[in-house]
Amino acid sequence: MLRLSTKCQYGVRAMFEIAKGYNSGPVTIKEISEKQDVSVAYLEQILNQLRKAGIIKSVKGPGGGYILDKEPGSISIGAILRELEGPVAITSCLDPKEGCIRVEGCVTHLLWKSLGEKIEAFLDNMTLQDLINGSESRGEQLITITRKGKRIRK
Amino acid sequence: MLRLSTKCQYGVRAMFEIAKGYNSGPVTIKEISEKQDVSVAYLEQILNQLRKAGIIKSVKGPGGGYILDKEPGSISIGAILRELEGPVAITSCLDPKEGCIRVEGCVTHLLWKSLGEKIEAFLDNMTLQDLINGSESRGEQLITITRKGKRIRK
DNA sequence: AAAATAGTCTACTAATTCTGTCAAGTATTA
DNA sequence: TAATACTTGACAGAATTAGTAGACTATTTT
């Protein structure tokens, strides 16, 4: 239920790799492919889309690769996902491209709308920097941020 | 992005109709079909699943139909969706049936997990009674509940 | 200049999931 | 026993997902 496409998942993981290299130059597709175990060809498609959206830049030629356009703390997960698959639209009637046909008496409309807004707020509030912090401290910080102190360790 | 299937949407809308009739006897598939504009055949499938899960009961014969097994305030939207499509599993690595292969270094695992928990909490906290209240007062109560006083009117 | 490196673009396709329909039942009550 | 309603399972078209393939363009190093 409510599954996120692999494209989005891969996209975030790729951005994480690029973000890690923010201070040490471009990261190549090949590196990302190896570290995140996603095919080069598929990553090309995904990163191309993100490049066109302007949240990463590409550098051609030897020593090239991809770099973030802004610092990791200024790129939210929400922004990445939106570029890859459009705005969060739990239902088609909330999709700006489609619109709600049965506006009258659509009892559930508000329900889905509220949920969508919550999800979006969560994603917009989480940045690549948070992911980096999280990975460095074994997830502690991420948990602290997202669950307000309720630390869970496994 | 993160689209909810029509099956789930229809399921909730059907449950809403049944909930409205909670005090006035069984509601037939035909009625639901007409009011919510979903085919009888598809509703049969959906309601059958919910009946087997035990959240609605069916009454056969003339004057029959479906009735809630509990009062509307005790049936959450989350429960309905879970019966129809399993637990919220934003990513396959969070699906209890599949499991996470790349546990080591899966930076995004916690991210999706946190989001999933937020969504689930939201859905589990919202009941059919809330939907009924929302529809009676043109959405006001629903908004109040879900957005903590920040009323938005359109 | 040539070779190596690295990204760009477009088309295509296999597999899966979604969204239902259809048909032939079974059960209950007036 | 007729009417009403639920039950079950098979099936199928459409849409989406998740990638692959291949030819091309740009840049840098030697």
Side-chain angles (χ1 to χ4, degrees):
Chain A
M1 173 167 79
L2 277 180
R3 192 63 60 94
L4 193 68
S5 69
T6 62
K7 183 180 184 180
C8 281
Q9 294 177 49
Y10 295 166
V12 172
R13 273 156 55 189
M15 287 296 285
F16 167 74
E17 289 299 331
I18 300 171
K20 273 201 302 186
Y22 183 57
N23 295 312
S24 47
V27 180
T28 68
I29 285 193
K30 202 181 167 197
E31 279 179 85
I32 300 171
S33 169
E34 281 162 4
K35 289 192 181 160
Q36 292 294 331
D37 198 30
V38 179
S39 85
V40 168
Y42 201 19
L43 279 174
E44 277 174 359
Q45 250 182 57
I46 295 168
L47 293 181
N48 209 345
Q49 211 170 328
L50 294 173
R51 180 186 55 84
K52 283 177 182 165
I55 60 181
I56 50 175
K57 284 181 295 192
S58 63
V59 179
K60 291 189 176 185
Y66 289 96
I67 27 172
L68 294 193
D69 189 53
K70 292 181 284 189
E71 51 179 18
S74 300
I75 299 179
S76 73
I77 307 301
I80 299 169
L81 300 186
R82 257 191 304 278
E83 293 305 342
L84 288 174
E85 295 203 333
V88 173
I90 307 285
T91 60
S92 61
C93 80
L94 289 173
D95 194 323
K97 284 178 305 212
E98 311 191 38
C100 192
I101 316 165
R102 20 178 301 109
V103 187
E104 35 64 56
C106 189
V107 254
T108 51
H109 190 100
L110 278 170
L111 170 67
W112 306 131
K113 193 176 170 197
S114 305
L115 177 57
E117 284 167 357
K118 287 222 164 204
I119 295 173
E120 203 139 21
F122 177 94
L123 292 172
D124 286 344
N125 205 44
M126 188 73 65
T127 71
L128 288 173
Q129 187 63 55
D130 294 324
L131 280 191
I132 293 173
N133 295 345
S135 79
E136 275 170 0
S137 60
R138 294 184 193 162
E140 257 180 62
Q141 184 138 1
L142 181 65
I143 291 179
T144 305
I145 288 168
T146 60
R147 304 193 34 126
K148 291 176 187 163
K150 275 194 198 170
R151 294 193 189 178
I152 290 179
R153 289 268 203 127
K154 269 211 172 174
Chain B
M1 176 168 76
L2 277 181
R3 192 64 61 95
L4 192 68
S5 70
T6 62
K7 184 179 182 181
C8 281
Q9 294 177 48
Y10 295 166
V12 172
R13 273 156 56 189
M15 287 296 285
F16 167 75
E17 289 298 332
I18 300 171
K20 274 202 300 186
Y22 184 58
N23 295 311
S24 47
V27 180
T28 68
I29 284 194
K30 201 180 168 196
E31 279 179 85
I32 300 172
S33 169
E34 282 163 3
K35 288 191 182 160
Q36 292 293 331
D37 198 31
V38 179
S39 83
V40 169
Y42 201 19
L43 279 173
E44 276 174 358
Q45 246 183 61
I46 295 169
L47 294 181
N48 206 350
Q49 212 170 327
L50 293 173
R51 182 186 54 82
K52 282 178 182 166
I55 61 181
I56 49 175
K57 284 182 294 191
S58 63
V59 179
K60 292 187 175 186
Y66 288 96
I67 28 172
L68 294 192
D69 189 51
K70 292 181 284 189
E71 51 178 19
S74 300
I75 299 179
S76 74
I77 307 301
I80 298 170
L81 300 186
R82 258 192 303 280
E83 293 305 342
L84 289 174
E85 293 203 334
V88 173
I90 307 284
T91 61
S92 62
C93 80
L94 288 173
D95 194 322
K97 284 177 304 210
E98 311 191 38
C100 191
I101 315 164
R102 21 179 301 110
V103 187
E104 35 63 60
C106 188
V107 256
T108 51
H109 190 100
L110 279 170
L111 170 67
W112 307 132
K113 193 175 169 198
S114 304
L115 176 56
E117 285 167 355
K118 287 223 166 204
I119 294 173
E120 203 137 22
F122 177 94
L123 293 172
D124 285 345
N125 205 44
M126 188 73 63
T127 71
L128 288 174
Q129 188 62 55
D130 294 324
L131 280 191
I132 292 174
N133 295 344
S135 79
E136 276 170 0
S137 60
R138 294 185 193 163
E140 256 179 64
Q141 183 138 1
L142 181 65
I143 291 178
T144 305
I145 288 169
T146 60
R147 305 196 33 129
K148 291 176 186 162
K150 276 194 197 173
R151 295 197 188 175
I152 291 179
R153 290 268 203 127
K154 270 206 172 177

